[in-house]
Amino acid sequence: MEKLRIEGGRTLAGEVAIGGAKNAALPALAATLLTDGEVTLTNVPAVRDVDTTCRLLEQLGVEVSRPAPGVVVTRGQGPTGSEAAYDLVKTMRASFLVLGPLLARTGRARVSLPGGCAIGARPVDRHLAAMEALGAKLELHDGYVEATCDRLCGAEIAFDVPTVGGTENCMMAATLARGSTTLRNSAREPEIVDLAELLITLGAKIEGAGTDTITIEGVDELGGGSHAIIPDRIEAGTYLVAGALLGDDLTLTHCVTEHLQTVVDRVAATGVQIDASADRLTIRRAELHPVDVRTQPYPGFPTDMQAQFMLLMTQAAGSAVIRETVFENRFMHVPELHRMGADITIDGRNAVVRGPTALSSAHVMATDLRASASLVLAGLIAEGETVIDRLYHLDRGYENLEAKLAAVGAHVERFRE
Ligand code: EPZ
């Protein structure tokens, strides 16, 4: 079992290059099911979820090659398969994003329901309702969605609450539907805009991505093309928090500052110094003031930064309230932070964080991707040596995390036990 060993208290200085966004790469890979053309994706992060999705595409009959670091080239031969099996979907909810493309391309799909995960039940009811609105016939058997359709028909679809994956599944399915589709109350994340740009490159007709209303005019088929995945705003936010804790001019490069503006604003409000340009962020630590945050769909404060910001607030002088409005169980990092001495009280969807608290090193266990990131940040500031177990959670979404941190002064190493 691989683990991380972190010696706390080291100042971080120098440059960290931000990689491609996991949450843009996964839907982009699913979108390649929509075409027989050759699709070249660049700036693809080397993370486990990308490997898993490439395996899923190959199972579905897509030819996948990875000719160079960060590059994935796919070529469809008309997806021979139409089944996303439970053994893959259970490890990665994003596998469910093949539902829309498979239906649009082949008229059938058998996709395992993702089931719950550490951060909540995470149902897919909104995905399913939208597929039915587009004309699919759905049946649920043995934990699988079995969907069939002749050709999908464009429709008016309104989400009661924004859903990133639901918006992505619909947008992809609608590109090959007959007629036009309007998605209302659609998610507005940068990853939605990135997916739309890829689909438009392949020949799709989409307008409004990034707003709460997206219109898609169906076409008969899509072609090939190349697309660079946007930088990962959550990876950038994670290193921004590391800089707020230990930075002595820690600079993030290759990011899109606009994509994490609310994170930059809230971290700056704590009193740290942030010099920001369009694609670079330099941060220097300072005495921290407590700042309340409430997670919300984009452009609000991202739920994927909640655990990291909560850790930051353990070092602020006073108390801060962190409210998680997107997922019903996303405080899994709190018991582990308690073991390191953090003063955090959970009250329903609120966590009250009191500081500053000197954290002490411990052996801790990762539970989900972003909780494990907050444990790494805790290890960077804790006195002594912290060991983090179950690294596979971290490896799902952070590329070369220990190498990037070590390059700017952290004492962190991966070892097998
Ligand atoms: C995406 O998940 C991201 N994953 C998540 O990042 C992110 O936390 C989330 O969006 C919110 O920003 C990827 O992009 C691969 P949702 P997704 O559908 O699409 C409920 C990470 O750490 N819901 O916007 O699954 C759902 O339970 C991951 O990188 C329904 O009830 O999120 C949740 O409470 C974690 N029914 C809320 O909506 C549905 O049909 C938002 O979910 C769909 C969602």
Side-chain angles (χ1 to χ4, degrees):
M1 180 75 79
E2 286 194 329
K3 298 181 180 184
L4 272 194
R5 180 185 292 123
I6 306 174
E7 185 68 38
R10 318 291 300 187
T11 303
L12 303 179
E15 292 194 353
V16 177
I18 299 303
K22 163 182 87 83
N23 290 350
L26 302 184
L29 287 165
T32 65
L33 287 163
L34 291 164
T35 177
D36 265 349
E38 182 171 278
V39 181
T40 300
L41 298 174
T42 57
N43 201 33
V44 179
V47 295
R48 284 166 64 104
D49 280 3
V50 165
D51 299 340
T52 303
T53 306
C54 287
R55 272 208 315 279
L56 176 57
L57 291 181
E58 287 173 329
Q59 281 182 6
L60 292 167
V62 176
E63 186 187 301
V64 180
S65 63
R66 302 179 75 168
V71 180
V72 177
V73 179
T74 67
R75 175 173 282 283
Q77 296 105 13
T80 46
S82 60
E83 173 161 339
Y86 178 60
D87 62 329
L88 269 180
V89 177
K90 74 182 175 193
T91 66
M92 187 186 67
R93 171 187 169 86
S95 310
F96 204 70
L97 290 174
V98 303
L99 175 66
L102 284 177
L103 263 181
R105 193 81 200 302
T106 69
R108 66 187 185 287
R110 187 169 188 270
V111 182
S112 168
L113 288 164
C117 75
I119 61 180
R122 301 184 74 184
V124 286
D125 52 326
R126 295 184 192 126
H127 296 242
L128 302 181
M131 291 303 130
E132 284 183 319
L134 290 169
K137 301 270 178 300
L138 305 182
E139 291 186 10
L140 301 186
H141 292 306
D142 310 324
Y144 280 77
V145 176
E146 296 180 353
T148 53
C149 67
D150 295 327
R151 184 179 178 187
L152 294 173
C153 293
E156 292 272 328
I157 295 168
F159 292 109
D160 54 345
V161 174
T163 156
V164 172
T167 301
E168 290 166 344
N169 241 331
C170 281
M171 199 161 70
M172 289 189 282
T175 57
L176 296 178
R178 182 185 305 112
S180 66
T181 296
T182 302
L183 306 182
R184 299 193 189 286
N185 200 21
S186 47
R188 299 164 52 189
E189 275 68 6
E191 293 76 26
I192 304 279
V193 177
D194 203 44
L195 176 61
E197 285 176 8
L198 164 63
L199 292 168
I200 290 165
T201 297
L202 303 182
K205 292 179 180 161
I206 301 174
E207 291 183 1
T211 74
D212 63 2
T213 303
I214 301 176
T215 55
I216 305 106
E217 192 62 43
V219 296
D220 291 338
E221 67 174 8
L222 296 179
S226 296
H227 177 77
I229 299 293
I230 53 169
D232 193 318
R233 60 194 169 99
I234 305 301
E235 183 192 25
T238 304
Y239 285 105
L240 192 70
V241 169
L245 291 163
L246 293 163
D248 181 14
D249 285 352
L250 180 69
T251 296
L252 314 185
T253 64
H254 300 84
C255 48
V256 176
T257 302
E258 179 196 350
H259 290 169
L260 62 149
Q261 194 57 57
T262 46
V263 178
V264 172
D265 294 345
R266 305 309 282 159
V267 172
T270 67
V272 300
Q273 158 119 31
I274 301 179
D275 296 330
S277 68
D279 63 354
R280 284 168 80 90
L281 287 161
T282 297
I283 185 158
R284 175 184 290 254
R285 67 181 168 186
E287 289 297 307
L288 296 172
H289 314 300
V291 168
D292 297 346
V293 295
R294 167 197 172 93
T295 66
Q296 290 178 294
Y298 194 86
F301 190 92
T303 174
D304 292 349
M305 278 300 303
Q306 179 256 107
Q308 301 91 312
F309 195 85
M310 183 184 292
L311 186 274
L312 181 64
M313 288 299 94
T314 67
Q315 305 306 303
S319 69
V321 178
I322 312 274
R323 184 168 176 77
E324 172 57 58
T325 73
V326 176
F327 290 104
E328 73 267 19
N329 181 32
R330 202 169 193 178
F331 289 145
M332 303 288 283
H333 41 289
V334 174
E336 296 302 304
L337 293 177
H338 279 158
R339 296 183 57 241
M340 299 177 77
D343 180 349
I344 305 170
T345 310
I346 295 178
D347 171 16
R349 289 205 173 217
N350 289 337
V352 180
V353 187
R354 290 180 185 80
T357 311
L359 298 186
S360 53
S361 57
H363 280 221
V364 290
M365 186 179 70
T367 52
D368 66 271
L369 172 57
R370 307 304 174 182
S372 52
S374 74
L375 296 179
V376 172
L377 295 170
L380 290 173
I381 57 172
E383 194 58 39
E385 183 178 275
T386 295
V387 174
I388 300 177
D389 200 350
R390 300 196 179 181
L391 281 195
Y392 54 86
H393 288 292
L394 204 63
D395 294 338
R396 292 190 52 183
Y398 287 94
E399 178 179 344
N400 286 336
L401 180 117
E402 65 269 19
K404 290 186 176 184
L405 285 171
V408 290
H411 274 203
V412 50
E413 62 169 351
R414 184 182 290 249
F415 66 99
R416 273 191 176 285
E417 202 165 59

